[in-house]
Amino acid sequence: MQKEEICLFVKRLSTRIFGEGGAVIHGSHPSFIEPLEEAARAFIDAGGEIGTLTFLRAQKFSATAEQIEEIERQRKYAVVQVVPVESEGESRSDLTPMRNWMAERSDVVVCVGGKWWDVNKANAGVPTELDAMLDLGKPGFIVAGFGGAISGYLKDNPGLLSSLQNGLSEEENRKIAYETSIESIVDLIVNQLKRLPLVRRSVERGRNFRILALDGGGLRGTFTAAVLAKWDDMLGSGGGNNLVSHFDLVTGTSTGAILAIGLGLGIKPSEILAFYRDKGSLIFPKDRTLRHWLRSKHESSTLRGLLQEVYGDRKMSGSSCRLVIPTVRAKHGQAEALVTPHSPDRTAFRDILSVDAALASSAAPTYFDESLWNGPIVPEIFLDGGVWANNPILPALAESVRHLKIPLDRIDVLSIGTLSSESDFTDSLGKGKAGWALHSVDLFFAAQQHGAILLAESFLGPTRHLRVNQQTPVEIKLDDTEAIDEMAARGNEAGKDSFASVRSRFLDGMHAPDWTRY
């Protein structure tokens, strides 16, 4: 294998791709780090931005102090993604999750070099990565003239050249495969890349479209706020708007809507946490059980006044990020999503105040009165979005794909729950209305949240969805003010435990571009 020629090819090809507006993802094999770094630094020195180069690392190569130090050094010229294992029973040494991550996010694969083919074919990664891309219907290029595993794979499977799906004939692919002039190979590949439909104009170069999804759950939003506050503190970037600036879209339901809108308005996560801790007992006063049977348990006007103090008179459209806030039209019980005016056909709520939007998603039946918004044409009445989307992942995905034209395979979701419990609903079976009265809402929320997670992961796969939550032995009620300190402590703990993976995948310094308002 001609190592020097391969490294020079990698550097020249990356330089051309960067210069043409493309990006490179690499699995962090040590042999290619140096040529990729040289190409990336030269691009940055010429005015380019970090993000054209992404290094992937499996968890087992991201654990020691030396490895962490290396990751921090690489982040000065590249994005570094630590890819987790896909299941609890999976070996941490398995590179399959990393290869799946790379295949899902890449438009094309260029295969060169590689080891082990003559010794242990099953351990040869380059052929495996090529097959993963071709299985997804994506194009590939083979550069076999410098030897290595890909050369052996092509020799044993000559039919590969007719199945690369790159728009070239078998004869043209053979020319690339066995050419030894680096400049000629680079020209042939780059010229063909420019002819293929690879540019995703709706996705910023070098990064996926990122969604932050915040569950509903009443006062249990204290947990979510504490998670966010811990991440913001550990991020060490001064708090404020830095955390949310990593996301292209934020979605939240009910208490998650209060959080999402607050983040979009630039309110620090620590300030939102203080709101829950200081105002929770005012929003959800105790000893209102009898009132609960006769009218809404808590005063909506109290919540409105407190939110007014935090949000002021700012409109939801002033958010620094796109927002999707699930709610329900009260008259016919129809699902609705209040959204920022981020698309020409999504301007219906362009003038809604942030307070009105938050209340529209938080008007939980029996807990708060319905929410009235004096719209530009007629008044509109809303109920809590948790009725249909307590976990708001699915409406956010639909908004991104349908209205923002984001390819589904270019979306990453970070989802935060509001605690779950080890509830056993079988005790209510066969007991009629009396048996279900105290547990039907809990069952509804549990099933909806779990169903949303299952569907989201079936769309995204486990490497593009990260869920952060914690389970409690006993359920904490939506308005349990006595559990505020416990929920804050749990959120602090969950934020600390999840920070390494969240920072690597979402809080990596790659900020979302500004969005267009219509």
Side-chain angles (χ1 to χ4, degrees), residues 142 153-164 170 174:
I142 290 176
Y153 189 46
L154 179 57
K155 182 178 179 181
D156 292 353
N157 301 274
L160 272 177
L161 296 176
S162 61
S163 60
L164 295 179
E170 181 176 351
R174 181 173 287 105

Side-chain angles (χ1 to χ4, degrees), residues 176-346:
I176 292 174
Y178 293 108
E179 177 64 68
T180 56
S181 167
I182 292 175
E183 296 302 330
S184 295
I185 302 172
V186 170
D187 284 341
L188 290 169
I189 292 177
V190 171
N191 288 338
Q192 186 60 18
L193 287 176
K194 290 161 70 174
R195 297 187 183 101
L196 294 174
L198 304 177
V199 178
R200 307 274 174 75
R201 298 183 185 277
S202 54
V203 182
E204 182 76 357
R205 178 177 65 184
R207 68 188 297 278
N208 273 9
F209 188 89
R210 295 171 176 175
I211 296 173
L212 175 62
L214 308 175
D215 283 15
L219 199 52
R220 294 202 300 258
T222 305
F223 169 83
T224 313
V227 171
L228 293 167
K230 189 61 178 179
W231 288 343
D232 195 50
D233 176 63
M234 294 181 72
L235 191 59
S237 57
N241 209 32
N242 291 295
L243 185 148
V244 76
S245 67
H246 288 81
F247 296 93
D248 300 271
L249 184 150
V250 179
T251 182
T253 300
S254 193
T255 193
I258 293 173
L259 284 158
I261 294 170
L263 291 173
L265 294 178
I267 300 170
K268 296 179 181 180
S270 59
E271 293 175 351
I272 302 177
L273 174 59
F275 173 81
Y276 280 89
R277 303 187 78 158
D278 298 341
K279 309 299 184 182
S281 60
L282 299 177
I283 300 170
F284 298 104
K286 297 172 62 177
D287 302 325
R288 302 176 70 83
T289 304
L290 179 59
R291 173 190 167 112
H292 202 181
W293 289 99
L294 303 175
R295 52 185 297 192
S296 297
K297 188 176 182 181
H298 303 292
E299 293 286 356
S300 301
S301 58
T302 301
L303 179 56
R304 173 178 286 277
L306 293 172
L307 287 176
Q308 185 79 35
E309 294 177 11
V310 178
Y311 295 161
D313 293 327
R314 288 179 286 180
K315 295 179 180 179
M316 192 173 76
S317 59
S319 171
S320 64
C321 57
R322 302 175 185 88
L323 294 173
V324 173
I325 307 298
T327 184
V328 172
R329 297 177 192 169
K331 187 172 183 179
H332 297 296
Q334 296 173 326
E336 178 69 273
L338 311 181
V339 299
T340 45
H342 46 242
S343 173
D345 56 349
R346 302 295 276 166

Side-chain angles (χ1 to χ4, degrees), residues 47-58:
E49 297 181 358
I50 293 177
T52 54
L53 174 61
T54 297
F55 285 132
L56 301 187
R57 297 179 72 104

Side-chain angles (χ1 to χ4, degrees), residues 5-27:
E5 287 79 2
I6 289 175
C7 287
L8 183 57
F9 165 75
V10 169
K11 179 180 177 180
R12 295 277 176 81
L13 178 64
S14 301
T15 298
R16 283 285 300 278
I17 289 175
F18 296 158
E20 295 286 350
V24 173
I25 298 177
H26 177 58

